[in-house]
């Protein structure tokens, strides 16, 4: 998010938002997504939502769906959907 999304204009989408990134994602975070999400960038972009969750998937990079522990991410996604009435 630091390289791509930080110059983005605020988004006033009002539904629940889940942002997932690989711990070592280079495309979105320059290889260190933990520090990028600690900066609160997502809070500055998604101003209209009451529910914003960020998740850093351990030991993975940008292609989360292809990582050997992708099923852990799928659990996070399905839990988020359930918690938000989907």
């Amino acid at each position: 998010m630091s390289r791509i999304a930080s110059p983005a204009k605020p988004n006033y989408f009002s539904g629940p938002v889940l942002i997932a990134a690989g711990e070592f994602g280079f495309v979105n975070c320059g290889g260190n997504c933990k520090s990028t999400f600690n900066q609160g960038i997502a809070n500055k972009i998604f101003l209209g939502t009451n529910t914003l969750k960020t998740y850093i998937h351990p030991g993975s990079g940008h292609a989360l769906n292809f990582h050997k522990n992708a099923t852990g991410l799928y659990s996070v996604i399905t839990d988020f959907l359930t918690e938000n009435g989907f």
Side-chain angles (χ1 to χ4, degrees):
M1 291 187 60
S2 64
R3 293 179 179 226
I4 295 174
S6 60
K9 294 180 181 177
N11 183 319
Y12 295 97
F13 174 73
S14 61
V17 175
L18 168 65
I19 299 174
E23 180 179 8
F24 305 111
F26 185 78
V27 173
N28 293 333
C29 308
N32 185 357
C33 285
K34 284 184 177 181
S35 71
T36 299
F37 281 102
N38 284 339
Q39 295 172 11
I41 292 171
N43 294 334
K44 296 175 185 174
I45 295 173
F46 292 97
L47 300 175
T49 185
N50 289 328
T51 304
L52 174 61
K53 178 177 181 176
T54 57
Y55 173 72
I56 304 299
H57 195 58
S60 61
H62 181 68
L64 295 174
N65 288 318
F66 301 111
H67 203 273
K68 60 185 176 183
N69 65 351
T71 55
L73 170 64
Y74 301 151
S75 294
V76 171
I77 294 169
T78 55
D79 289 348
F80 178 82
L81 292 171
T82 300
E83 291 166 6
N84 288 283
F86 293 98

